[in-house]
Amino acid sequence: MPADTLEKVVNFAKRRGFVFQSSEIYGGLSSCYDYGPLGVELKNNVKKAWWKAMVRERNDVVGLDSAILMHPKTWEASGHVEGFTDPLVDCKKCKKRWRADHLLEAKGIKPDFRPGEWDKSVTCPDCGGELTDVRKFNLMFKTFMGAVEDEASQIYLRPETCQGIYLNFLNVQQSMRLKLPFGVAQIGKAFRNEITPGHFTFRTREFEQMEQQYFVHPSEAKNTFAMWKEERMKWYQNLGIKKEKLRFREHQEKELAHYAKAAFDIEYDYPGMGFKELAGIHNRGDWDLSRHEEFSGQELKYFDQEKNAKYTPHIIETSDGADRAALAFLLDAYEEVEARSGKEDAKHEKEIILRLHKDLAPIKVAVLPLSKKEPLQKLSKEVRSGLRNTWMTQYDETGAIGKRYRRQDEIGTPYCVTIDFESLEDKQVTVRDRDTMEQERVEIGELKDYLDKKLGN
Ligand code: ATP
């Protein structure tokens, strides 16, 4: 994928209502984005597909929606107050702030340093100025709860969603009478005061995670880890991401998080960035439940009735970013091709096709009357009414039909339904396929079944 694809897709995303800069009329709020009318459909579809694969279609995983604000002790137990830091350096001249590890990596130097030590030959990439020593910077957003703003009322916006699952381990297990192994899944916002956000929605300060924690007997942790690794990779491939754009990367011992026994990233080949993390699969051992047990004083063990044994389950985590996934799907689906439709008004040479998987496409069916004449309008609106309670549809009657097909190809709509004058007589419509451009005549009475076979719901 050419390096300028990201820039093209950023412009396209704005133009076609996928993603806007947050607070744009005030000059924008750095690294915060708003999803437009089509973007919210895409992102909701990503989350829906994840929930379907992780909860709806499994016997062993249940859902949860825990609060963003949590007891501050949570973050002491999790190690975030102490250790959720990035090493940063400031430029003494232009005052710009940099991630120290990123600067070293860019120079081909392994970022294996302790805070305070800095290689003076590495200077500010912007102005060449001298950089300060390395400091640790905590990435958690702080706020206050209640009327008094003092240390006692200070809390955090959660930097990850999984802690809500650990804290509810017993609530979920006991209320649902679950036996090990089982998983708990949740989707929700997380906040990190990233030092160097950027690359569009790849790294933002407010984002959404789709996380699942699978609780197992310690002896099963290794096999379960291998199972989830494959499952998560398959999920991205089944939803259409090209295989050669995805790979696993194993974390080396040095970079493993303090809690992790083993970790793999699923990486996507982002244009202009190369392979970067899309999702993670982590073997967290018994760290989380043991720590929360220690800090809360509440026992967080599993009692196995059959074996009459009590133990702390181990946890295999799958952690995906809804925004990073939506971006990867968008980039991977974006294609520019030679003009292929609407040649009658073809002043253009290139056309954009968004080859999104049908489950992810924001609009599933577009209904297009060939003319604005009253009887066609009426029939088209009736056809649309019959479809809209099952799928997200769009009605478009303006411009040449070729242009309207192109507009739908650009936003990834898998099927267009065209109503022409013959439709009034024979009660048939033409269904056009986005990818093959093949057209089929279908009885209006059978349209729903026809689309159901193609789209599902
Ligand atoms: P990175 O190394 O890119 O900072 P991470 O290893 O800190 O990511 P995790 O803590 O494992 O990421 O978070 C799980 C997932 O959440 C990531 O794989 C990613 O999809 C998403 N994610 C993490 N940080 C961000 C962010 N700042 N913006 C958007 N998505 C993010």
mmCIF file of all heavy atoms in Angstrom, residues 192 194 201-204 207 209 277-280 282 319-321 324, ligand 1:
data_model
loop_
_atom_site.group_PDB
_atom_site.id
_atom_site.type_symbol
_atom_site.label_atom_id
_atom_site.label_comp_id
_atom_site.label_asym_id
_atom_site.label_seq_id
_atom_site.Cartn_x
_atom_site.Cartn_y
_atom_site.Cartn_z
ATOM 1 N N ARG A 192 -5.862 7.552 27.749
ATOM 2 C CA ARG A 192 -4.431 7.592 28.053
ATOM 3 C C ARG A 192 -3.880 8.927 27.571
ATOM 4 O O ARG A 192 -4.103 9.293 26.416
ATOM 5 C CB ARG A 192 -3.681 6.458 27.333
ATOM 6 C CG ARG A 192 -4.083 5.096 27.809
ATOM 7 C CD ARG A 192 -3.326 3.994 27.108
ATOM 8 N NE ARG A 192 -3.911 2.713 27.484
ATOM 9 C CZ ARG A 192 -3.531 1.534 27.015
ATOM 10 N NH1 ARG A 192 -2.521 1.473 26.164
ATOM 11 N NH2 ARG A 192 -4.114 0.429 27.401
ATOM 12 N N GLU A 194 -1.457 10.087 26.125
ATOM 13 C CA GLU A 194 -0.306 9.713 25.300
ATOM 14 C C GLU A 194 0.577 10.941 25.029
ATOM 15 O O GLU A 194 0.068 12.030 24.752
ATOM 16 C CB GLU A 194 -0.782 9.163 23.955
ATOM 17 C CG GLU A 194 -1.662 7.927 24.039
ATOM 18 C CD GLU A 194 -0.860 6.641 24.072
ATOM 19 O OE1 GLU A 194 0.376 6.708 24.140
ATOM 20 O OE2 GLU A 194 -1.503 5.564 24.043
ATOM 21 N N THR A 201 -6.478 7.986 13.765
ATOM 22 C CA THR A 201 -7.098 7.347 14.933
ATOM 23 C C THR A 201 -6.265 6.182 15.474
ATOM 24 O O THR A 201 -6.722 5.462 16.358
ATOM 25 C CB THR A 201 -8.498 6.820 14.574
ATOM 26 O OG1 THR A 201 -8.382 6.006 13.393
ATOM 27 C CG2 THR A 201 -9.461 7.959 14.294
ATOM 28 N N PHE A 202 -5.047 6.003 14.974
ATOM 29 C CA PHE A 202 -4.217 4.892 15.456
ATOM 30 C C PHE A 202 -3.862 5.079 16.930
ATOM 31 O O PHE A 202 -3.957 4.158 17.725
ATOM 32 C CB PHE A 202 -2.936 4.779 14.623
ATOM 33 C CG PHE A 202 -2.016 3.709 15.127
ATOM 34 C CD1 PHE A 202 -2.225 2.387 14.774
ATOM 35 C CD2 PHE A 202 -0.960 4.013 15.985
ATOM 36 C CE1 PHE A 202 -1.398 1.385 15.263
ATOM 37 C CE2 PHE A 202 -0.131 3.017 16.482
ATOM 38 C CZ PHE A 202 -0.352 1.703 16.116
ATOM 39 N N ARG A 203 -3.413 6.266 17.278
ATOM 40 C CA ARG A 203 -3.062 6.531 18.681
ATOM 41 C C ARG A 203 -3.733 7.817 19.119
ATOM 42 O O ARG A 203 -3.343 8.909 18.717
ATOM 43 C CB ARG A 203 -1.547 6.637 18.855
ATOM 44 C CG ARG A 203 -1.109 6.707 20.319
ATOM 45 C CD ARG A 203 0.385 6.844 20.477
ATOM 46 N NE ARG A 203 1.111 5.740 19.893
ATOM 47 C CZ ARG A 203 1.173 4.507 20.401
ATOM 48 N NH1 ARG A 203 0.570 4.238 21.535
ATOM 49 N NH2 ARG A 203 1.840 3.558 19.798
ATOM 50 N N THR A 204 -4.765 7.677 19.929
ATOM 51 C CA THR A 204 -5.509 8.848 20.398
ATOM 52 C C THR A 204 -5.508 8.834 21.924
ATOM 53 O O THR A 204 -5.050 7.870 22.542
ATOM 54 C CB THR A 204 -6.956 8.801 19.887
ATOM 55 O OG1 THR A 204 -7.520 7.546 20.259
ATOM 56 C CG2 THR A 204 -7.019 8.950 18.381
ATOM 57 N N PHE A 207 -10.085 6.429 23.502
ATOM 58 C CA PHE A 207 -10.338 5.389 22.488
ATOM 59 C C PHE A 207 -11.186 4.284 23.097
ATOM 60 O O PHE A 207 -11.490 4.297 24.290
ATOM 61 C CB PHE A 207 -9.019 4.830 21.942
ATOM 62 C CG PHE A 207 -8.077 4.325 23.000
ATOM 63 C CD1 PHE A 207 -8.026 2.983 23.325
ATOM 64 C CD2 PHE A 207 -7.235 5.201 23.675
ATOM 65 C CE1 PHE A 207 -7.158 2.515 24.310
ATOM 66 C CE2 PHE A 207 -6.370 4.744 24.665
ATOM 67 C CZ PHE A 207 -6.333 3.398 24.980
ATOM 68 N N GLN A 209 -11.833 0.168 23.686
ATOM 69 C CA GLN A 209 -11.220 -1.157 23.678
ATOM 70 C C GLN A 209 -12.286 -2.243 23.633
ATOM 71 O O GLN A 209 -13.412 -2.050 24.105
ATOM 72 C CB GLN A 209 -10.378 -1.347 24.946
ATOM 73 C CG GLN A 209 -9.135 -0.473 24.967
ATOM 74 C CD GLN A 209 -8.220 -0.818 26.118
ATOM 75 O OE1 GLN A 209 -8.665 -0.942 27.254
ATOM 76 N NE2 GLN A 209 -6.936 -0.979 25.837
ATOM 77 N N GLU A 277 1.074 -2.455 16.146
ATOM 78 C CA GLU A 277 0.100 -3.226 16.933
ATOM 79 C C GLU A 277 -1.345 -2.883 16.592
ATOM 80 O O GLU A 277 -1.742 -1.721 16.551
ATOM 81 C CB GLU A 277 0.345 -2.976 18.426
ATOM 82 C CG GLU A 277 -0.685 -3.670 19.296
ATOM 83 C CD GLU A 277 -0.376 -3.590 20.787
ATOM 84 O OE1 GLU A 277 0.768 -3.304 21.165
ATOM 85 O OE2 GLU A 277 -1.314 -3.832 21.571
ATOM 86 N N LEU A 278 -2.109 -3.947 16.388
ATOM 87 C CA LEU A 278 -3.547 -3.821 16.168
ATOM 88 C C LEU A 278 -4.277 -4.390 17.368
ATOM 89 O O LEU A 278 -5.297 -3.858 17.819
ATOM 90 C CB LEU A 278 -3.890 -4.614 14.891
ATOM 91 C CG LEU A 278 -5.319 -4.831 14.469
ATOM 92 C CD1 LEU A 278 -6.009 -3.493 14.238
ATOM 93 C CD2 LEU A 278 -5.359 -5.637 13.173
ATOM 94 N N ALA A 279 -3.746 -5.485 17.904
ATOM 95 C CA ALA A 279 -4.377 -6.152 19.039
ATOM 96 C C ALA A 279 -3.323 -6.930 19.810
ATOM 97 O O ALA A 279 -2.214 -7.129 19.312
ATOM 98 C CB ALA A 279 -5.449 -7.107 18.526
ATOM 99 N N GLY A 280 -3.692 -7.365 21.005
ATOM 100 C CA GLY A 280 -2.744 -8.130 21.806
ATOM 101 C C GLY A 280 -3.399 -9.351 22.427
ATOM 102 O O GLY A 280 -4.613 -9.359 22.675
ATOM 103 N N HIS A 282 -2.502 -11.795 25.727
ATOM 104 C CA HIS A 282 -1.557 -11.810 26.848
ATOM 105 C C HIS A 282 -1.864 -12.930 27.836
ATOM 106 O O HIS A 282 -3.026 -13.127 28.177
ATOM 107 C CB HIS A 282 -1.615 -10.464 27.613
ATOM 108 C CG HIS A 282 -1.559 -9.266 26.714
ATOM 109 N ND1 HIS A 282 -2.522 -8.289 26.706
ATOM 110 C CD2 HIS A 282 -0.652 -8.910 25.775
ATOM 111 C CE1 HIS A 282 -2.203 -7.365 25.800
ATOM 112 N NE2 HIS A 282 -1.080 -7.726 25.219
ATOM 113 N N SER A 319 -7.052 -8.402 23.703
ATOM 114 C CA SER A 319 -7.265 -6.966 23.817
ATOM 115 C C SER A 319 -7.185 -6.324 22.439
ATOM 116 O O SER A 319 -6.136 -6.355 21.792
ATOM 117 C CB SER A 319 -6.172 -6.401 24.740
ATOM 118 O OG SER A 319 -6.361 -5.038 24.926
ATOM 119 N N ASP A 320 -8.321 -5.784 21.993
ATOM 120 C CA ASP A 320 -8.383 -5.177 20.660
ATOM 121 C C ASP A 320 -8.844 -3.739 20.795
ATOM 122 O O ASP A 320 -9.643 -3.424 21.672
ATOM 123 C CB ASP A 320 -9.389 -5.923 19.775
ATOM 124 C CG ASP A 320 -8.984 -7.374 19.540
ATOM 125 O OD1 ASP A 320 -9.073 -8.170 20.494
ATOM 126 O OD2 ASP A 320 -8.571 -7.690 18.419
ATOM 127 N N GLY A 321 -8.384 -2.880 19.902
ATOM 128 C CA GLY A 321 -8.851 -1.492 19.907
ATOM 129 C C GLY A 321 -9.914 -1.324 18.819
ATOM 130 O O GLY A 321 -9.657 -1.661 17.659
ATOM 131 N N ARG A 324 -8.563 1.332 16.312
ATOM 132 C CA ARG A 324 -7.465 0.821 15.485
ATOM 133 C C ARG A 324 -7.970 -0.230 14.510
ATOM 134 O O ARG A 324 -7.507 -0.308 13.376
ATOM 135 C CB ARG A 324 -6.384 0.188 16.354
ATOM 136 C CG ARG A 324 -5.289 1.155 16.617
ATOM 137 C CD ARG A 324 -4.115 0.494 17.290
ATOM 138 N NE ARG A 324 -3.509 1.489 18.146
ATOM 139 C CZ ARG A 324 -2.445 1.280 18.891
ATOM 140 N NH1 ARG A 324 -1.868 0.094 18.896
ATOM 141 N NH2 ARG A 324 -1.956 2.242 19.630
HETATM 142 P P1 ATP B 1 0.913 0.697 22.008
HETATM 143 O O1 ATP B 1 2.166 -0.120 22.190
HETATM 144 O O2 ATP B 1 0.567 0.940 20.564
HETATM 145 O O3 ATP B 1 0.894 1.940 22.849
HETATM 146 P P2 ATP B 1 -0.274 -0.912 24.008
HETATM 147 O O4 ATP B 1 0.603 -2.116 23.965
HETATM 148 O O5 ATP B 1 -0.075 0.085 25.066
HETATM 149 O O6 ATP B 1 -0.282 -0.199 22.569
HETATM 150 P P3 ATP B 1 -2.527 -2.284 25.084
HETATM 151 O O7 ATP B 1 -2.351 -1.673 26.403
HETATM 152 O O8 ATP B 1 -2.173 -3.713 24.891
HETATM 153 O O9 ATP B 1 -1.770 -1.394 23.972
HETATM 154 O O10 ATP B 1 -4.012 -1.980 24.595
HETATM 155 C C1 ATP B 1 -4.773 -2.910 23.839
HETATM 156 C C2 ATP B 1 -5.258 -2.341 22.532
HETATM 157 O O11 ATP B 1 -5.881 -1.068 22.724
HETATM 158 C C3 ATP B 1 -4.154 -2.053 21.515
HETATM 159 O O12 ATP B 1 -3.815 -3.221 20.807
HETATM 160 C C4 ATP B 1 -4.788 -1.026 20.629
HETATM 161 O O13 ATP B 1 -5.624 -1.630 19.652
HETATM 162 C C5 ATP B 1 -5.643 -0.237 21.581
HETATM 163 N N1 ATP B 1 -4.967 0.995 22.001
HETATM 164 C C6 ATP B 1 -4.039 1.142 22.966
HETATM 165 N N2 ATP B 1 -3.652 2.433 23.072
HETATM 166 C C7 ATP B 1 -4.365 3.115 22.136
HETATM 167 C C8 ATP B 1 -4.420 4.496 21.750
HETATM 168 N N3 ATP B 1 -3.689 5.422 22.367
HETATM 169 N N4 ATP B 1 -5.262 4.838 20.751
HETATM 170 C C9 ATP B 1 -6.025 3.920 20.124
HETATM 171 N N5 ATP B 1 -6.015 2.614 20.452
HETATM 172 C C10 ATP B 1 -5.200 2.205 21.441
#
